[in-house]
């Protein structure tokens, strides 16, 4: 114990020194522990060209991939080396500027980790100065902010997408003051009201109530409802456009309040519903007339034909029924669009009316089909021949549709009362058969019905007859084309496709489906397809193939049946299949016809649990304003947009636009008709969700698809 001081004061001094050393050691241990717990890196470095590190905390390893010993005194690498080359000059300039002003620095930049990965970091620090004011070193803290930067980037992307949606929306989007002046809006708002720009609109409309609404009391009613309920829905009013014309609008809006509950402004959307309101006013007229042309529809034509037959029977005169079909009209729709097609239909309707007497009738049955009623004729067919010759000449005159000058022709078939039939149905059927004969012999002509119709006409009549019995005779079979998930590479579903083994062999779907549509037998065939597909899906369900969907195509004719949802639900219950395994495919052209009715039907089907998709997207016409209202799951891009993907930048751009539209609407996008590896890799890299086509498999029987499923499962 000689080392222990004997004097009390000395002993006290010794103990205090010992205690101070222990305290200093504990403090260092505590500081080291705290530094080790930090996610980022604490450092002290020299202000030299390499940022030579004199101290680096343990957090360096997680941040940079290098151990502290690697960076200390540039043992393995300098901090300047791991600073991203594109950021080095900026980082040094900002730090030097802060030091020169003797203030702290804060800076974001990138570093390159030891594993080669790029990370974003945030560094804050300051200079350490000698007593004489000279710089001794730098000290600070570096934190990994890669995730935050990614979130910021995603937020900017989302904001840009939202801005694009608002700017390109078909609906007007607005904010107004409580008093009634526009604050903000999108281009569609100006377009709806007939202004060239939003600035012009806001400058012109200082008081919405008195300047915009035809009935100023509507603004007061708008405010009353929104104050009572907090919002208004489908608020319909008549308003003035810039040029003074009156349109109908529908508004959805809400009141925005501050934290104290005081109203700040109104915001919402506005839609031009003039067309719908016009449709409602003309509903009674359209019950008996074609909407596009204003001509009598089939129901009115049948009524008039019945009256003409009764009159002809009494006075002994003849009646002629002529079916007219425009030649190659489908090419006009496919190549120039439905708007051009509609113009052609309307011009043709006007020309046909100009060729007939007041006592005659021309009716549009749908599409490019017209039917004519010529009554009060004598036994000589010369009257009919002269009229039909005049029609051929008128229809073939060049017509202007938009920017296109077109040369159309038509084919006509004629049946006569009483020799070709004594009732409405027979005369229409025979005129239709004669029209197909005119098509067959070269188009741009007319043919009278005769007992010796050409083989094509007879075959079509036989086809109609056979179709009516095909379901009962179990002549239909289903093939299935698999759908591939591009992420997993697995088979996630299949499209069911009908095949008909008729009395004379295999009949192509392209031949019998249009006939089934026209004759109405498509409804019975469609129900058979759905039930057969459901039974097969039930077998796959029992094998545990989930998730797996079986798609069934529905025709426009099926959707016209108001009891479709009930029939579908009955089939699902009868087969015991999980509704989520069944997907209903609707062609895009269906959606353009009576969209309100389709929304109701689709909503009913969706409530059953079915999946819904648009088939052949891009080949028809659908209003984007309605498209967002359909409760869909998938958007199937037609093969015409897939065919040109191999090395065609224009087709690739179009597909990417469709893909973005589908994803922005929350839909999975499926590409049809994939036949090459180039198409496959483009679709995969572009972010397409699912594909189907001959590159993977042609449509095959269920048993063959089972083999494909087992093959994929065994990989």
């Amino acid at each position: 114990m000689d080392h222990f001081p004997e004097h009390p004061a000395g002993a006290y001094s010794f103990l205090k020194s010992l205690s101070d050393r222990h305290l200093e050691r504990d403090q260092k241990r505590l500081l080291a522990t705290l530094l080790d717990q930090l996610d980022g890196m604490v450092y002290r470095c020299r202000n030299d060209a390499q940022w030579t590190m004199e101290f680096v905390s343990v957090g360096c390893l997680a941040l940079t991939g290098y151990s502290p010993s690697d960076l200390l005194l540039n043992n393995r690498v300098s901090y300047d080396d791991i600073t991203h080359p594109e950021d080095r000059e900026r980082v040094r300039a900002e730090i030097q500027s802060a030091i020169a002003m003797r203030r702290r620095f804060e800076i974001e930049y990138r570093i390159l980790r030891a594993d080669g990965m790029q990370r974003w970091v945030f560094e804050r620090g300051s200079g350490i100065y000698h007593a004489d004011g000279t710089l001794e070193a730098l000290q600070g803290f570096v934190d990994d902010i890669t995730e935050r930067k990614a979130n910021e980037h995603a937020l900017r992307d989302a904001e840009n997408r939202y801005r694009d949606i608002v700017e390109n929306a078909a609906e007007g989007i607005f904010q107004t003051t409580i008093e009634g002046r526009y604050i903000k809006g999108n281009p569609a708002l100006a377009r709806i009201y007939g202004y060239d720009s939003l600035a012009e609109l806001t400058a012109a409309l200082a008081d919405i109530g008195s300047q915009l609404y035809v009935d100023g009391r509507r603004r007061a009613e708008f405010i009353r409802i929104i104050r009572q309920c907090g919002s208004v829905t489908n608020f319909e009013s008549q308003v003035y456009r810039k040029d003074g014309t009156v349109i109908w609008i529908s508004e959805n809006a809400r009141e925005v309040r501050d934290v104290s509950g005081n109203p700040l402004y109104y915001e919402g959307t506005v839609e031009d519903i003039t067309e719908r309101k016009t449709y409602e006013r003309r509903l009674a007229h359209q019950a008996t007339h074609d909407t596009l042309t204003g001509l009598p529809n089939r129901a009115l034509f049948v009524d008039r034909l019945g009256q003409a037959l009764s009159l002809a029977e009494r006075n002994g005169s003849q009646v002629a029924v002529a079916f007219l079909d425009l030649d190659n009209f489908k090419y006009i729709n496919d190549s120039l669009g439905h708007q051009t097609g509609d113009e052609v239909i309307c011009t043709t309707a006007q020309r046909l009316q100009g060729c007939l007497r007041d006592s005659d009738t021309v009716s549009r049955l749908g599409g490019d089909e017209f039917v004519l009623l010529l009554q009060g004729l004598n036994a000589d067919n010369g009257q009919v021949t002269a009229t039909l010759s005049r029609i051929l000449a008128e229809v073939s005159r060049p017509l202007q549709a938009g920017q296109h000058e077109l040369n159309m022709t038509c084919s006509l078939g004629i049946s006569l009362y009483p020799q070709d039939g004594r009732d409405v149905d027979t005369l229409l059927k025979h005129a239709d058969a004669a029209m197909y004969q005119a098509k067959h012999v070269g188009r741009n002509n007319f043919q009278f019905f005769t007992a010796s119709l050409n083989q094509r006409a007879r075959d079509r009549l036989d086809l109609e007859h056979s179709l009516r019995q095909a379901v009962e005779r179990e002549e239909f079979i289903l093939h299935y084309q698999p759908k591939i998930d591009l992420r997993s590479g697995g088979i996630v579903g299949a499209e069911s496709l009908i095949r008909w083994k008729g009395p004379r062999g295999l009949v192509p779907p392209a031949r019998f489906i249009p006939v089934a549509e026209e004759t109405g037998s498509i409804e019975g065939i469609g129900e058979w397809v759905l039930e057969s597909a459901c039974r097969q899906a039930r077998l796959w369900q029992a094998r545990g193939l989930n998730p797996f969907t079986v798609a069934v195509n529905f025709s426009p004719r099926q959707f016209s049946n108001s009891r479709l949802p009930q029939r579908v639900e009955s089939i699902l219950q009868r087969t015991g299949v999980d509704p989520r395994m069944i997907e209903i495919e609707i062609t895009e052209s269906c959606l353009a016809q009576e969209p309100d009715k389709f929304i109701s039907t689709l909503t009913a089907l969706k409530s059953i649990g079915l999946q819904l998709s648009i088939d052949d997207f891009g080949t028809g016409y659908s209003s984007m304003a309605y498209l967002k209202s359909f409760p869909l799951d998938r958007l199937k891009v037609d093969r015409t947009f897939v065919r040109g993907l191999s090395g065609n930048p224009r087709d690739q751009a179009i597909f990417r636009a469709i893909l973005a539209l589908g994803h922005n609407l929350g839909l999975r996008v499926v590409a049809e008709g994939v036949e090459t590896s180039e198409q496959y890799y483009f679709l995969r890299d572009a972010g397409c969700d699912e594909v189907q086509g001959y590159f993977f498999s042609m449509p095959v029987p269920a048993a063959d698809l089972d083999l494909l499923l087992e093959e994929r499962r065994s990989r």
Side-chain angles (χ1 to χ4, degrees), residues 279 282 286 289-295 364:
Y279 169 79
R282 296 177 180 174
Q286 291 178 351
H289 289 76
D290 174 56
T291 303
L292 179 62
T293 63
L295 295 176
R364 182 183 179 223

Side-chain angles (χ1 to χ4, degrees), residues 57-283:
S57 68
V58 174
C60 169
L61 180 62
L63 180 70
T64 69
Y66 295 100
S67 67
S69 62
D70 290 334
L71 266 69
L72 281 175
L73 301 177
N74 303 332
N75 183 40
R76 178 182 172 191
V77 65
S78 72
Y79 193 74
D80 186 66
D81 290 336
I82 68 173
T83 303
H84 196 286
E86 295 178 6
D87 295 345
R88 287 173 188 164
E89 185 176 345
R90 174 177 60 85
V91 171
R92 183 170 293 278
E94 292 193 23
I95 292 178
Q96 295 291 4
S97 175
I99 292 172
M101 300 175 66
R102 299 182 70 89
R103 60 174 175 81
R104 294 175 59 86
F105 53 85
E106 294 183 351
I107 186 170
E108 295 178 359
Y109 57 94
R110 294 164 294 174
I111 64 170
L112 299 175
R113 285 173 45 88
D115 57 11
M117 291 182 60
Q118 175 181 293
R119 307 293 289 180
W120 275 94
V121 298
F122 172 71
E123 179 179 349
R124 66 174 68 87
S126 61
I128 304 173
Y129 301 91
H130 291 289
D132 60 2
T134 59
L135 182 68
E136 178 181 346
L138 302 177
Q139 64 180 6
F141 179 74
V142 184
D143 191 17
D144 190 330
I145 60 168
T146 305
E147 184 175 351
R148 192 196 81 194
K149 296 292 285 188
N151 291 338
E152 290 175 354
H153 181 73
L155 179 61
R156 285 195 301 272
D157 284 349
E159 289 174 346
N160 290 335
R161 287 195 298 270
Y162 174 77
R163 188 178 299 108
D164 288 342
I165 290 172
V166 170
E167 291 297 311
N168 298 305
E171 293 179 334
I173 301 174
F174 66 82
Q175 286 182 352
T176 71
T177 64
I178 303 299
E179 295 74 26
R181 185 180 183 91
Y182 283 109
I183 306 171
K184 293 181 180 179
N186 67 342
L189 182 70
R191 288 196 301 270
I192 288 173
Y193 294 138
Y195 291 89
D196 294 332
S197 67
L198 184 64
E200 183 185 10
L201 169 69
T202 55
L205 298 179
D207 185 345
I208 295 173
S210 62
Q211 293 179 277
L212 185 65
Y213 291 91
V214 174
D215 182 353
R217 293 173 297 180
R218 293 299 291 165
R219 180 65 179 180
E221 178 66 8
F222 176 93
I223 294 173
R224 185 191 68 78
I225 296 174
I226 209 168
R227 286 181 177 174
Q228 179 179 339
C229 305
S231 64
V232 294
T233 304
N234 299 327
F235 186 81
E236 298 180 356
S237 308
Q238 285 183 295
V239 297
Y240 293 111
R241 283 170 56 88
K242 176 186 175 182
D243 60 6
T245 57
V246 175
I247 62 171
W248 279 93
I249 62 168
S250 175
E251 295 177 277
N252 294 287
R254 70 184 185 98
E255 185 178 56
V256 179
R257 297 174 176 269
D258 62 19
V259 292
S260 302
N262 301 312
L264 295 174
Y265 53 85
Y266 302 138
E267 67 178 10
T269 62
V270 60
E271 181 182 4
D272 184 344
I273 60 168
T274 306
E275 185 177 349
R276 176 167 67 81
K277 297 297 288 187
T278 302
Y279 169 79
E280 291 172 354
R281 290 197 304 269
R282 296 177 180 174
L283 188 60

Side-chain angles (χ1 to χ4, degrees), residues 673-686:
V674 179
E675 298 180 355
T676 67
S677 58
E678 291 85 356
Q679 294 167 352
Y680 168 79
Y681 288 119
F682 171 85
L683 293 167
R684 185 195 64 182
D685 296 340

Side-chain angles (χ1 to χ4, degrees), residues 77 369 486:
V77 65
E369 289 186 338
L486 280 175

Side-chain angles (χ1 to χ4, degrees), residues 20 97 204 312 610 616 672 696:
D20 288 344
S97 175
L610 299 166
D616 298 333
E672 297 182 290
F696 308 97

Side-chain angles (χ1 to χ4, degrees), residues 249-419:
I249 62 168
S250 175
E251 295 177 277
N252 294 287
R254 70 184 185 98
E255 185 178 56
V256 179
R257 297 174 176 269
D258 62 19
V259 292
S260 302
N262 301 312
L264 295 174
Y265 53 85
Y266 302 138
E267 67 178 10
T269 62
V270 60
E271 181 182 4
D272 184 344
I273 60 168
T274 306
E275 185 177 349
R276 176 167 67 81
K277 297 297 288 187
T278 302
Y279 169 79
E280 291 172 354
R281 290 197 304 269
R282 296 177 180 174
L283 188 60
H285 176 79
Q286 291 178 351
T288 55
H289 289 76
D290 174 56
T291 303
L292 179 62
T293 63
L295 295 176
N297 61 13
R298 186 184 187 93
L300 182 55
F301 181 86
V302 167
D303 180 69
R304 289 186 180 179
L305 178 54
Q307 295 180 36
L309 295 181
S310 299
L311 179 61
E313 185 177 7
R314 291 196 299 271
N315 61 26
S317 63
Q318 282 194 336
V319 172
V321 175
F323 250 93
L324 182 150
D325 187 89
L326 292 176
D327 299 329
N328 299 316
F329 179 74
K330 186 176 185 299
Y331 169 77
I332 299 297
N333 270 343
D334 292 347
S335 60
L336 303 180
H338 281 265
Q339 182 176 351
T340 301
D342 287 348
E343 292 183 35
V344 171
I345 292 295
C346 291
T347 300
T348 302
Q350 294 169 3
R351 292 181 177 183
L352 292 177
Q353 286 177 299
C355 294
L356 303 183
R357 302 165 299 175
D358 291 340
S359 58
D360 299 330
T361 298
V362 56
S363 166
R364 182 183 179 223
L365 299 185
D368 61 331
E369 289 186 338
F370 298 86
V371 60
L372 289 67
L373 166 61
L374 311 177
Q375 55 184 327
L377 305 174
N378 53 39
D380 183 7
N381 288 344
Q383 236 180 318
V384 178
T385 301
T387 300
L388 298 179
S389 297
R390 187 162 60 251
I391 287 173
L392 287 175
E394 276 295 301
V395 171
S396 63
R397 283 196 301 112
L399 62 85
Q400 193 71 30
Q403 299 178 349
H404 307 283
E405 183 176 277
L406 305 173
N407 292 95
M408 301 297 301
T409 60
C410 66
S411 301
L412 295 113
I414 306 96
S415 63
L416 299 171
Y417 169 87
Q419 55 265 48

